[in-house]
Amino acid sequence: MAKASERHRHDVVVVGAGIAGLYAALKASEHYDTAVISKVYPTRSHSGAAQGGCAGSLGNMQEDSWQWHLYDTVRGSDFLGDQDAQEILVREAVPVMYEMEHLGVPFSRTPEGKIAQRPFGGHYSDFGKGPISRACYAADRTGHAQLHTLYEQCVKHGVRFYNEFYAVQLIMKDGTCLGVVAWDITHGGLHIFHTKATFFATGGYGRAWRVTTNAHANTGDGVSLILRAGFPLEDMEFVQFHPTGIYPHGMLVSEAARGEGGYLLNAEGKRFMENYAPAKMELAPRDVVSRAEQTEIDEGRGIDGKPFLHCDLRHLGADRIRAVLPQIHELALKFCGIDCTKVPIPIQPSAHYSMGGIPTRVDTQVVSDEKATPVPGLFAAGECACVSVHGANRLGTNSTLECAVYGRRGGLAVVDYLRKNPGEPLELPDQPDALACEEMSRLFSKSNGGDSAAKLREALQDGMQKRCGIYRNENDLQAQLTEVRSLRDQFQKLRVSDMTAKCNTELIEALELGHLLDFSVTIVAGALARRECRGAHWRKDRPGRNDKDWLKHTFSWLDQKGDIRLAYRPVTITRHQPEERKY
Amino acid sequence: MQRTFRIWRTDVENPKRGEFRDYEVEVQEAWTVLDALNEIKWRHDGSLAYRRSCRHGICGSCAMTIDGKNDLACELQVSACKGRVIMVEPLRSFPVLRDLIVDQTDFFERYDSIKPWLICHKAPPTDKERLQSPEDRALIDGTWECILCGSCTSSCPVYWSSSQFLGPAAILKAYRYIFDSRDEGLEDRLQMLDNKHGLWRCHTIFNCVEACPKALNPTEAIIKLRRKIVAEKI
């Protein structure tokens, strides 16, 4: 382990190879030497798991406008989203969708040959009236189609890929970001990436919960590296639970299932959404539907008394299901052993999406405080970032849209930044990888000998599930804050049993656990402080949304001891004043 | 239910050498092979090395050879494995890096070599999508869904014996673009496809079809591409 780190120089280094990272890399590579570091092969990034669609008011199926899309996004966010960022999102959605088609994305088509669109929850026509077909799709593998196309474009444009490299530390000097330190997972060893622009597109953090739709890789690495560099995270308490995770493991059944007309049923065989969102039923936003499901389960109307409900597609007919929801058909068959053309799918709410993350300006530059002071050389977009377009709750199909719009903008912003700041980057500090080396030697230290990473991770996931899930209260959150801090202490004594350098996935899991623990403190502390109900954050002991005190973004810093400092920033409101949110 | 997982473990110093090691696992209901591997790694032996990510068959990380057949560990239910002992090995024909992790550099280089991107000489409309009929779009169904897990190429006897054969995954990708009505890159790709290491090397053994966890058919793509190229020549 004592071997000196290998050094690399690139103009731009993108960390993460999902839709946001690849779009940024593609745009940056048109003008600058661009590299991508990814902990998995790029085509294995979790963007590929996005199923149902990518929103854009193309109006290919019926009249639509970005103004309607904006209204839905603002209301969907429970008025916590910044409306300047949201307006950029929905306006740029249209040209970006066309650009993705031009790049080669194999979208499904309408009879006239246009990009096909389908309805999704939370998206309506004419300022909140009826459902609207706004989600551009490629069957129910939209993310897969977008991810592969962008990867292929990056290969074409000569982007340099460092696959299975795991970022472990940010390199900072005099307030400027000079790159990252990464561990080569395959061969072992630290690498120093010296760069003028570092772009984080490291994805979300659903792995902090026991039941999640997320990939094993979604451990919030990027957000925790930002915390450790002394920068804040924004709105971490807002985590979305998806209404249709397969029971018991939580894999995603796309919202397209409901968009195409699927029903949600309780043990009485009743479409229970009647009692919660009579106008929009199953197509109410996700926070509303997940809470309804949790209430049904808590009040004993789960199927056979168990903690799950049914998603029923049978009435759509076998042909339609196979044509437009082929992956869901396959998932139900492979993971539940059922044919969903004949039997309903068992589903439950599952941790799905992180609305919060690394605070950025609308040009994706990372900011270091609630006053939006930019960090030179550091950018972020996609699920790891909080710009904030999703506020307190994200609408379905707005996530891959955010990745595309802000990943693309980020790539262009990096080009602009480099043009305005020509010349070589600052010299690296002495021992730029000191923190990473210290962490590695601690994990490999023979004198340590605490619990395994797996055990601590399960304790974290169980606690977050029980005490920081869909319904929250002060006592639970207080208990969970104590628990996470105690787990962080135990993590200091953790040692990996595998001492080899090559393909040491036990080491990676230990490093990931450190990340999970760090950002989890900010989630729990943010949730504890926010005494109201808004979007996905629901405090049973503090009913009602409280715009007077809480129409603001949370900023949280983590110090070495695990203590949190909180600050707040007002929400940017342009076109739509907060109003009651009913569906 | 108790099952034995007989897993290929490589020598730490020399991954070309190794041995099968048995792990007894109490398998829970609805567990996949990946759940069992996780159980082993998290509770019995942290050093077991394998790739995994999405755990629902879309990322393609966890392709491996299970009971002699290539499959995704995350999709294969343990209950679907018949014997009491379940054999788990790394994908064949790729160099093994460690345990179940193989080196797929060469696999991705061949995929890159067929220019896996839309080649289009006409500029698209500036403020609209290009039109493509649903019928034209349907021509590439069964190809664009490929998750690049490597199961097909690893199962191909021609790939085993020929160090230069493109392999089924790369050719399937070539098909995905050549049969895309928006693409004009047939000629750009001909050099890679129309030679003895390309399309014509395939002996239509159909192993790739059997190995594909997404039920795609690379052999059919190879045959259709051959026809197209012959037709173009005439």
Side-chain angles (χ1 to χ4, degrees):
Chain A
M1 296 304 138
K3 212 176 100 199
S5 304
E6 201 176 313
R7 296 189 177 206
H8 310 266
R9 260 289 282 123
H10 294 283
D11 295 330
V12 184
V13 169
V14 177
V15 185
I19 291 174
L22 293 178
Y23 222 141
L26 180 60
K27 287 293 159 191
S29 71
E30 287 171 7
H31 303 279
Y32 290 98
D33 161 38
T34 303
V36 173
I37 298 170
S38 176
K39 73 194 276 197
V40 295
Y41 269 86
T43 54
R44 296 169 184 172
S45 303
H46 200 53
S47 293
Q51 297 174 5
C54 190
S57 57
L58 310 189
N60 285 353
M61 319 297 282
Q62 64 199 95
E63 189 194 347
D64 198 0
S65 77
W66 66 260
Q67 287 91 343
W68 298 348
H69 188 184
L70 176 64
Y71 179 76
D72 296 336
T73 302
V74 171
R75 275 182 90 223
S77 76
D78 218 347
F79 298 90
L80 190 70
D82 287 319
Q83 292 181 18
D84 53 344
Q86 291 173 321
E87 184 164 332
I88 289 170
L89 179 82
V90 299
R91 294 183 82 150
E92 291 191 7
V94 179
V96 166
M97 219 58 62
Y98 292 142
E99 184 170 285
M100 293 198 99
E101 192 282 322
H102 298 162
L103 292 173
V105 173
F107 285 111
S108 298
R109 299 288 174 151
T110 66
E112 315 84 74
K114 297 177 180 173
I115 296 171
Q117 299 184 276
R118 62 161 53 115
F120 244 74
H123 292 276
Y124 312 110
S125 62
D126 200 12
F127 301 102
K129 300 238 165 51
I132 194 164
S133 294
R134 185 177 289 147
C136 305
Y137 66 92
D140 57 357
R141 291 183 173 91
T142 313
H144 170 84
Q146 293 173 318
L147 178 70
H148 280 241
T149 304
L150 286 168
Y151 173 62
E152 291 157 359
Q153 286 292 321
C154 285
V155 172
K156 178 185 172 188
H157 285 84
V159 171
R160 173 73 193 271
F161 282 96
Y162 293 87
N163 296 328
E164 301 188 320
F165 272 64
Y166 183 60
V168 289
Q169 186 210 311
L170 212 54
I171 305 171
M172 296 296 302
K173 186 184 183 183
D174 304 332
T176 297
C177 181
L178 294 181
V180 289
V181 182
W183 175 262
D184 177 351
I185 299 175
T186 311
H187 302 97
L190 291 170
H191 291 244
I192 292 168
F193 290 86
H194 185 196
T195 177
K196 284 179 73 178
T198 304
F199 196 100
F200 267 38
T202 55
Y205 40 85
R207 277 280 147 189
W209 281 264
R210 184 69 146 188
V211 179
T212 175
T213 62
N214 283 199
H216 284 288
N218 293 9
T219 50
D221 307 309
V223 292
S224 284
L225 296 188
I226 293 287
L227 267 184
R228 288 177 189 182
F231 297 121
L233 297 178
E234 182 176 352
D235 289 343
M236 291 295 285
E237 60 269 37
F238 296 99
V239 175
Q240 178 172 81
F241 288 77
H242 195 289
T244 52
I246 289 183
Y247 177 82
H249 296 305
M251 294 85 158
L252 179 66
V253 169
S254 168
E255 187 165 325
R258 283 170 289 136
E260 294 290 345
Y263 299 148
L264 295 176
L265 306 176
N266 63 17
E268 296 156 7
K270 204 175 144 209
R271 287 177 71 187
F272 55 86
M273 285 310 297
E274 275 167 21
N275 301 335
Y276 303 90
K280 302 296 191 290
M281 296 294 286
E282 283 88 354
L283 288 181
R286 289 176 178 170
D287 58 333
V288 176
V289 182
S290 282
R291 268 195 299 280
E293 289 180 359
Q294 194 61 49
T295 303
E296 290 295 305
I297 291 167
D298 291 348
E299 293 179 359
R301 291 186 293 279
I303 309 294
D304 301 331
K306 291 183 181 162
F308 69 89
L309 297 148
H310 272 153
C311 177
D312 192 353
L313 305 176
R314 291 173 295 182
H315 57 285
L316 302 179
D319 291 347
R320 179 84 185 143
I321 292 173
R322 290 211 186 86
V324 295
L325 304 169
Q327 190 177 199
I328 291 175
H329 186 257
E330 184 187 328
L331 285 173
L333 202 59
K334 285 188 169 153
F335 295 105
C336 311
I338 60 159
D339 177 354
C340 67
T341 64
K342 301 195 176 98
V343 185
I345 307 170
I347 53 94
Q348 66 187 331
S350 303
H352 181 59
Y353 186 87
S354 358
M355 272 74 76
I358 306 162
T360 71
R361 305 192 309 196
V362 292
D363 63 358
T364 75
Q365 194 160 7
V366 173
V367 301
S368 62
D369 55 35
E370 74 279 17
K371 296 178 199 75
T373 311
V375 180
L378 188 55
F379 300 79
E383 191 173 346
C384 73
C386 181
V387 58
S388 128
V389 289
H390 309 305
N393 173 62
R394 173 174 72 75
L395 296 187
T397 71
N398 267 356
S399 62
T400 47
L401 175 62
E402 182 198 11
C403 290
V405 166
Y406 280 94
R408 183 178 180 279
R409 280 180 76 81
L412 297 173
V414 163
V415 169
D416 189 50
Y417 175 83
L418 292 178
R419 282 196 177 132
K420 286 179 184 149
N421 296 275
E424 287 297 301
L426 296 175
E427 294 273 318
L428 286 174
D430 294 338
Q431 287 190 302
D433 54 353
L435 287 172
C437 290
E438 193 188 303
E439 186 171 26
M440 291 296 167
S441 52
R442 196 188 74 236
L443 287 169
F444 281 120
S445 156
K446 289 199 170 75
S447 59
N448 271 353
D451 281 323
S452 71
K455 199 170 166 192
L456 297 183
R457 187 178 56 229
E458 281 165 15
L460 171 73
Q461 291 170 334
D462 284 340
M464 294 299 279
Q465 192 78 29
K466 259 190 260 159
R467 297 186 282 262
C468 194
I470 293 179
Y471 290 122
R472 302 166 172 179
N473 67 60
E474 173 126 12
N475 287 344
D476 283 352
L477 290 168
Q478 195 67 61
Q480 184 59 12
L481 189 58
T482 310
E483 168 80 1
V484 181
R485 285 194 174 130
S486 146
L487 291 170
R488 280 184 89 246
D489 292 342
Q490 294 172 58
F491 177 73
Q492 293 304 312
K493 298 186 211 89
L494 182 125
R495 176 174 80 88
V496 294
S497 63
D498 183 351
M499 303 294 272
T500 50
K502 287 181 182 170
C503 299
N504 188 338
T505 51
E506 189 190 0
L507 170 71
I508 302 304
E509 289 192 12
L511 292 164
E512 288 174 336
L513 171 64
H515 297 156
L516 287 168
L517 289 167
D518 280 0
F519 71 72
S520 290
V521 187
T522 65
I523 295 174
V524 182
L528 189 58
R530 186 174 283 272
R531 295 184 174 86
E532 66 157 351
C533 298
R534 184 183 299 273
H537 171 70
W538 210 261
R539 286 279 299 262
K540 275 204 155 171
D541 54 340
R542 300 281 171 167
R545 195 175 80 195
N546 175 355
D547 288 334
K548 189 172 137 281
D549 300 318
W550 289 104
L551 187 60
K552 57 189 181 184
H553 297 287
T554 307
F555 277 62
S556 47
W557 287 258
L558 180 71
D559 71 15
Q560 291 268 342
K561 294 198 306 268
D563 288 331
I564 291 280
R565 176 166 75 83
L566 297 176
Y568 293 91
R569 180 173 75 76
V571 174
T572 307
I573 293 171
T574 56
R575 292 171 188 263
H576 298 291
Q577 289 302 316
E579 59 184 24
E580 195 193 354
R581 187 166 162 255
K582 271 180 108 167
Y583 291 97
Chain B
M1 195 177 55
Q2 190 95 358
R3 298 293 283 268
T4 304
F5 286 81
R6 186 161 293 165
I7 302 176
W8 183 252
R9 301 299 309 269
T10 50
D11 189 311
V12 173
E13 301 301 322
N14 179 8
K16 286 186 178 155
R17 288 206 317 247
E19 59 178 21
F20 281 102
R21 218 172 290 167
D22 284 1
Y23 298 87
E24 297 296 321
V25 178
E26 186 63 35
V27 175
Q28 313 285 317
E29 201 192 326
W31 268 19
T32 63
V33 171
L34 179 61
D35 291 319
L37 294 177
N38 288 339
E39 175 77 6
I40 293 165
K41 184 170 185 66
W42 296 343
R43 287 183 225 293
H44 302 286
D45 185 347
S47 70
L48 176 63
Y50 52 96
R51 291 191 179 103
R52 82 286 180 273
S53 191
C54 79
R55 72 163 200 341
H56 64 263
I58 191 72
C59 80
S61 300
C62 65
M64 51 188 76
T65 307
I66 303 162
D67 283 342
K69 188 177 175 304
N70 290 353
D71 215 327
L72 299 176
C74 74
E75 282 197 332
L76 182 62
Q77 294 284 328
V78 176
S79 58
C81 304
K82 294 297 169 223
R84 196 188 172 283
V85 178
I86 297 163
M87 302 276 284
V88 186
E89 301 163 73
L91 283 181
R92 285 167 193 167
S93 83
F94 299 134
V96 178
L97 292 166
R98 186 176 173 181
D99 299 345
L100 304 173
I101 298 182
V102 293
D103 186 347
Q104 293 183 311
T105 312
D106 177 72
F107 171 79
F108 276 96
E109 278 173 3
R110 289 179 205 210
Y111 155 82
D112 291 352
S113 77
I114 59 94
K115 303 188 177 174
W117 50 79
L118 196 69
I119 299 175
C120 203
H121 306 300
K122 291 191 291 282
T126 49
D127 58 348
K128 280 285 166 204
E129 69 268 61
R130 270 175 298 230
L131 297 181
Q132 181 179 43
S133 72
E135 295 73 29
D136 281 344
R137 170 60 184 70
L139 292 175
I140 59 167
D141 275 339
T143 62
W144 66 276
E145 300 92 332
C146 171
I147 58 174
L148 297 171
C149 66
S151 288
C152 57
T153 298
S154 141
S155 77
C156 173
V158 180
Y159 184 80
W160 301 342
S161 64
S162 159
S163 59
Q164 286 170 291
F165 178 47
L166 279 173
I171 300 179
L172 187 73
K173 183 60 82 170
Y175 181 104
R176 176 253 173 276
Y177 279 107
I178 289 170
F179 279 81
D180 188 322
S181 61
R182 301 170 294 176
D183 189 87
E184 301 167 296
L186 177 63
E187 272 186 33
D188 298 80
R189 298 189 185 95
L190 265 187
Q191 199 197 339
M192 287 309 297
L193 294 168
D194 187 20
N195 70 50
K196 66 178 179 180
H197 301 298
L199 289 176
W200 310 104
R201 194 83 187 186
C202 167
H203 294 296
T204 56
I205 301 164
F206 289 94
N207 272 16
C208 55
V209 181
E210 203 177 321
C212 179
K214 299 286 102 181
L216 310 180
N217 192 332
T219 310
E220 192 188 0
I222 291 170
I223 293 167
K224 284 187 177 168
L225 274 170
R226 283 175 177 171
R227 280 195 205 129
K228 186 170 180 80
I229 285 173
V230 171
E232 293 283 328
K233 282 181 179 168
I234 298 167

